[in-house]
Amino acid sequence: MDADVIVIGAGVAGLVTADRLAAAGRRVLVLEARDRVGGRTLTVPVPGFPGHVVDQGGQWAGPGQDLLYKELARFGLETYPQQYGGGAALVLFRGRARRYTGRIPKLDPLTLADVGQTQLRFDRLARTVDLAAPWRTPRAGELDGQTFESWLRRVCWTERGRDFFRTACEAVFATVPANLSLLHALFYAASGTSLEHLITTTGGAQQDRVAAGMGTLAVRLAAQLGDRIRLDSPVRAITQDADGVRVRTDDAEFAASRVVVAVPPTLAGRIAYRPAMPPRRDQLTQRVPHGGIIKCHAVYAEPFWRADGLSAECASDRGPVKVAFDATPPGEGSPGILLAFLDGPESLRLGELPYEQRREEVLRSLARYVGPQAMDAVAFLERDWNAEEWTRGCYGAHLPPGAWTQVGAALREPVGRLHWAGTETAERWCGYIDGAISSGERAAAEILAA
Ligand SMILES: Cc1cc2nc3c(=O)[nH]c(=O)nc-3n(C[C@H](O)[C@H](O)[C@H](O)COP(=O)(O)OP(=O)(O)OC[C@H]3O[C@@H](n4cnc5c(N)ncnc54)[C@H](O)[C@@H]3O)c2cc1C
């Protein structure tokens, strides 16, 4: 045996799995397809501003993500508030820009009332979801038999109200509500406290950033594991029998007693298994598509929008940039940085444009929010997660109608000697880094108990 346990994937989930197993005295080997660790987290330097970084993948932590804060503290990684620069947020709906402070976006009174009543009904339903087994939720069949979009059309009175939720849905799920099972939307919101919590900065999921970059967490976890991690090792096939498991990469084969597959379910479905996966598990991996994200950073000599009283937290019903934030690092000599998300189906269209054209569209979109100075970026960074072979879209998986109730039970259920980790398997904070950590802890506990 090359190891007691092989962990596939060195994202946060796989690294936490390996970390906990190593701490319990198990011999672990981590096989990672990329030439780096961290998966959907990645911190990169800002060109022209030495010592400053941005996160091209997951970046925020917020209240309720206790495991994430604990893990950050373990490595001495400090956080600072997203809103440290102060200023007003901005909504640009139907071409009209309005500034606001506090949690409630400034929309016209009728739209606001509609958003309020819809949110109340959504929250009431979300509270009924069984997080451990969404398919056992009361009226699961009915909730899973419709899309979030069809529910919005029935429950939300106004087109403006529906557009508010469509924008929120794209910001949270990186896809349009027509692609989501209502049960999935409810599960995901409840898993991360509430839909409002998921779209809120201060007091919500976008509250804090990591000074050294969120991607540093994976790098620190990996440093503990040392040469137990093998990079550039995409796993192609897994064979299991009564004696153990054999895992094949392009150039080697490894044997272990058990395996933890810590990759998103749609990528897990691209590995060849012998014997073949049970039908329910295989059909699950056919029904867990990813959303779409290109994450862009426009860099300026200084955060000029602050002088105008803006926080650069912006949302609009019109793209291409429907959501933007201030990504200015703290500290002296720091550049001003705007973070722009291109999300949902639009990210596929924009991904097909030449770089210059995409940059132009993004900057023009930002100028609508913070003024024409946005056109004068001194640097522009982008990461198209849709084009990353070992991620294939973001932020993560969403389940279409029928998937939770028909095949959802296979999401975490071990298959012989194979166990499943990854944020998509988490009950709490599914889709988030905190969920990746809890999934790794759960998978490690399963192995130790087996
Ligand atoms: C742009 C963006 C913004 C985000 N923002 C936030 C945020 O602000 N806060 C937050 O909490 N979350 C955020 N997320 C989500 C968060 O990053 C993820 O939930 C989390 O990182 C997932 O970790 P994971 O280990 O489950 O999966 P991954 O990070 O996807 O790790 C899986 C690993 O497996 C590897 N792999 C895949 N297939 C194979 C194979 N066949 N063989 C070997 N290795 C393989 C991959 O290369 C990868 O390293 C964001 C994600 C993105 C992309």
Side-chain angles (χ1 to χ4, degrees), residues 328-347:
T328 302
E332 290 295 302
S334 147
I337 304 180
L338 290 175
L339 157 58
F341 284 109
L342 302 175
D343 50 23
E346 266 281 281
S347 70

Side-chain angles (χ1 to χ4, degrees), residues 9 11-13 32-34 39-40 58-60 235 390 394 422-423 431 433:
V12 171
E32 165 56 48
R34 286 179 163 100
R40 281 173 271 177
Q59 69 174 58
W60 284 294
V235 167
W390 301 109
C394 264
T423 189
I433 299 161

Side-chain angles (χ1 to χ4, degrees), residues 80-88 209 303 305-307 309-312 326 328 330:
Y80 65 102
Q82 166 63 31
Q83 293 287 40
Y84 81 96
R209 287 186 270 163
W305 49 92
R306 290 183 185 169
L310 284 173
S311 68
D326 190 332
T328 302

Side-chain angles (χ1 to χ4, degrees), residues 247-319:
V247 176
R248 189 162 54 73
T249 65
D250 288 333
D251 57 4
E253 191 171 280
F254 304 93
S257 169
R258 286 186 182 263
V259 164
V260 177
V261 181
V263 313
T266 188
L267 292 177
R270 296 170 195 228
I271 297 173
Y273 299 91
R274 287 288 170 271
M277 280 291 114
R280 195 182 297 275
R281 169 76 202 179
D282 192 76
Q283 294 219 350
L284 170 81
T285 59
Q286 296 178 41
R287 297 177 72 176
V288 274
H290 285 182
I293 288 285
I294 305 176
K295 190 172 176 180
C296 307
H297 289 96
V299 183
Y300 306 89
E302 55 182 15
F304 60 87
W305 49 92
R306 290 183 185 169
D308 191 24
L310 284 173
S311 68
E313 181 186 332
C314 309
S316 179
D317 56 351
R318 209 160 53 81

Side-chain angles (χ1 to χ4, degrees), residues 8-15 31-34 36-41 56-61 65 68 205-206 214 233-236 262-264 267-268 271 293-295 341 385 390-391 393-396 421-424 429-436 439:
I8 300 172
V12 171
L15 292 169
L31 298 174
E32 165 56 48
R34 286 179 163 100
R36 63 170 182 86
V37 299
R40 281 173 271 177
T41 64
Q56 291 193 312
Q59 69 174 58
W60 284 294
Q65 299 179 348
L68 174 54
Q206 282 73 236
M214 185 63 89
S233 301
V235 167
R236 305 294 183 183
V263 313
L267 292 177
I271 297 173
I293 288 285
I294 305 176
K295 190 172 176 180
F341 284 109
W385 288 96
W390 301 109
T391 300
C394 264
Y395 308 100
T423 189
E424 278 75 17
W429 292 106
C430 176
Y432 289 76
I433 299 161
D434 191 89
S439 79

Side-chain angles (χ1 to χ4, degrees), residues 18 44 74 77 113 159 194 296 315 377 388:
V44 301
R74 172 183 166 200
L77 294 170
E159 191 58 15
S194 70
C296 307
E388 296 259 329

